[in-house]
Amino acid sequence: MRENTRRHFLKQAGFTALGTGPWAASEAAHPEFAPQEAWTLHGEQFRINKAYEGGWVQNFTSTVEALPKDRWRIWTSVSMPETGIKNIGYHEGKVGGEWKPVWAVCTTGKPDPTAELAIGGMPEGAHPVQVVTIRLQNGLTRLYFWAHGEGIVRYLAADSIDETARQFEVVNRLEPCLYHPGDRAVGGAAAKEAGLSRFGKKVAKPIEGEPLAPAALISNDATNVYQLADGSFEMFSVTLLEVNKDNPRYAPQDNLKGFLRVIDRYTSADGLKWGNRKRVITPDSNDPIDQQFYFLSVTHTEKGRLGMLGSYRLDAQAIDIEPCFSTDGITWERPQRKPWIPRDKEDEGIATYLLHAPHNLVQRDGRWWLFYTGGNFSHNHKHSHGTPDRAILVASCQDVWGG
């Protein structure tokens, strides 16, 4: 019976042959994207500040807000490689100018009323990263983020307690939006049902009152959430597809040997309880054998959903931003299949290996703005151009559709 349940889940989620089924690239008409040369590169804006010296800053999956007088608020997160400490916050400033950081004060109890940004109700010992910020249609603000800690690797939501959007409380600490396979609530049976047989012997260790993770909510990492015009929500998250050594896409050079990163879409009425999981982007016969997909960020436009797809080439251990398009969030067109933003040349900038997209593009004063994270080290951390580091950069173009 358990094997039949697993097969049903895998079929519903799209775990079948790569490049087939409703998630494969179609031949439908699509808009043209602006060529790479249409982008103006404004360069590096900032790195980490002294509050987290030795850490790496990123705006990966994170929201960018246009403020008055040509100012911006860039939501960011920081990771400390040596200690595992993470945090989220934002930087405010102007392109080419000074940027002021504000970092969250995180507590397990009520949010700190004296902090510029406070998150209460956090799991004990957990740290947030990869924040998504949504101004909800009810006037409040919601933060989504991955929480990392001892036994904790899960995607949580925190709602603002008023319209000032300074104090937030986690609203789904024990029943998160998504679970990483390493989370304490994930057991071997659910992992196997999700197609991750290598986690089949994992013993779940939930705390009192905490349900076990269902297979349909086991994901991996980079996640983006959007509220749609009808008030419902869609979420795109990278997940792991297990491949055997005899599969041509088995990648011994990757840090996750035997796993292929693909993109799934979920929907929700309230943005907290998620379902309708569908596989929407996988490598197909037109992709190189070392192709994987690391993230999908979406900008909702009048022409449809403009996607920024994380194109991860394992042989180069590099990640680029590739444009794609969809009218429904399910079928995605990838006509360009090449980087949209150029990486820096060695010794000419920091974005030489890894480009990570934000939550979405922002249109302002007749131009489209892309604030992104650049890194100078390979994904497997075996090579770097100088001391490994990350920075926030920005590019802009007049028309993303190439008009």
Side-chain angles (χ1 to χ4, degrees):
M1 178 65 70
R2 180 172 293 169
E3 182 61 23
N4 289 338
T5 301
R6 176 178 179 272
R7 288 176 181 173
H8 175 74
F9 167 74
L10 298 180
K11 182 178 179 181
Q12 291 298 108
F15 286 78
T16 59
L18 298 181
T20 62
W23 53 87
S26 75
E27 300 300 326
H30 52 77
E32 294 294 327
F33 303 117
Q36 187 182 90
E37 56 267 22
W39 288 94
T40 298
L41 303 183
H42 303 278
E44 181 178 327
Q45 300 300 300
F46 58 87
R47 303 191 189 188
I48 200 61
N49 73 320
K50 293 182 179 180
Y52 287 98
E53 191 169 356
W56 292 336
V57 70
Q58 62 180 357
N59 72 325
F60 185 26
T61 77
S62 300
T63 313
V64 175
E65 301 176 69
L67 302 178
K69 299 182 179 180
D70 296 325
R71 293 178 61 80
W72 298 89
R73 174 178 290 177
I74 305 174
W75 287 83
T76 48
S77 56
V78 62
S79 300
M80 304 289 289
E82 297 297 325
T83 64
I85 292 176
K86 306 175 187 293
N87 202 4
I88 61 176
Y90 55 81
H91 286 67
E92 290 188 358
K94 290 184 177 182
V95 172
E98 296 294 324
W99 293 87
K100 176 189 174 183
V102 172
W103 298 109
V105 175
C106 299
T107 56
T108 56
K110 292 294 182 181
D112 184 345
T114 66
E116 290 186 69
L117 177 63
I119 304 173
M122 287 287 293
E124 184 72 37
H127 306 281
V129 72
Q130 294 179 11
V131 60
V132 168
T133 310
I134 295 180
R135 308 295 186 189
L136 300 175
Q137 293 177 7
N138 64 9
L140 298 179
T141 300
R142 176 173 292 166
L143 305 180
Y144 291 95
F145 51 84
W146 281 98
H148 291 248
E150 186 176 355
I152 293 285
V153 195
R154 56 184 59 181
Y155 200 61
L156 299 177
D159 286 352
S160 59
I161 63 176
D162 59 34
E163 293 187 2
T164 64
R166 292 179 56 248
Q167 299 180 57
F168 295 82
E169 287 188 312
V170 175
V171 294
N172 59 348
R173 177 167 53 184
L174 297 183
E175 296 186 63
C177 302
L178 294 172
Y179 301 81
H180 185 276
D183 190 89
R184 68 190 179 200
V186 175
K192 290 177 66 177
E193 186 180 334
L196 302 174
S197 63
R198 297 179 197 182
F199 293 89
K201 295 182 179 180
K202 185 175 183 295
V203 178
K205 298 180 180 180
I207 64 173
E208 184 177 355
E210 183 175 51
L212 292 176
L217 295 181
I218 298 175
S219 185
N220 182 46
D221 194 354
T223 303
N224 280 292
V225 180
Y226 305 88
Q227 187 171 29
L228 306 179
D230 64 1
S232 66
F233 296 78
E234 69 178 355
M235 175 170 65
F236 298 95
S237 186
V238 63
T239 196
L240 299 176
L241 178 61
E242 199 169 84
V243 293
N244 297 322
K245 288 185 177 180
D246 58 354
N247 188 303
R249 293 194 183 276
Y250 180 87
Q253 73 273 43
D254 190 44
N255 64 318
L256 289 177
K257 298 178 182 179
F259 289 104
L260 179 68
R261 297 169 182 83
V262 296
I263 306 297
D264 283 357
R265 178 181 184 262
Y266 307 72
T267 60
S268 173
D270 62 1
L272 299 175
K273 297 187 180 300
W274 295 87
N276 194 29
R277 181 178 184 174
K278 293 182 183 296
R279 178 67 29 78
V280 294
I281 300 180
T282 71
D284 62 25
S285 59
N286 294 319
D287 285 312
I289 204 66
D290 67 332
Q291 179 75 66
Q292 295 194 12
F293 299 114
Y294 210 82
F295 56 81
L296 177 61
S297 299
V298 178
T299 303
H300 289 79
T301 76
E302 293 181 354
K303 292 186 178 182
R305 293 166 174 82
L306 192 159
M308 292 184 286
L309 182 62
S311 176
Y312 175 30
R313 296 292 302 277
L314 275 72
D315 286 349
Q317 285 294 299
I319 297 175
D320 289 296
I321 297 172
E322 174 192 319
C324 55
F325 173 79
S326 176
T327 59
D328 59 7
I330 299 172
T331 300
W332 287 86
E333 312 299 332
R334 299 176 48 226
Q336 187 163 307
R337 302 197 182 215
K338 59 183 180 181
W340 210 13
I341 300 290
R343 278 183 270 138
D344 292 335
K345 296 180 180 179
E346 186 177 351
D347 299 325
E348 293 184 8
I350 192 171
T352 57
Y353 265 110
L354 307 175
L355 302 187
H356 289 86
H359 185 248
N360 58 276
L361 297 167
V362 177
Q363 192 173 25
R364 181 178 196 174
D365 298 332
R367 296 188 69 81
W368 290 88
W369 293 85
L370 169 57
F371 290 85
Y372 59 100
T373 302
N376 65 352
F377 54 93
S378 62
H379 182 264
N380 61 11
H381 296 268
K382 292 184 178 181
H383 305 281
S384 67
H385 298 130
T387 302
D389 206 349
R390 287 175 173 163
I392 307 302
L393 303 94
V394 63
S396 68
C397 72
Q398 186 170 357
D399 187 357
V400 292
W401 301 115

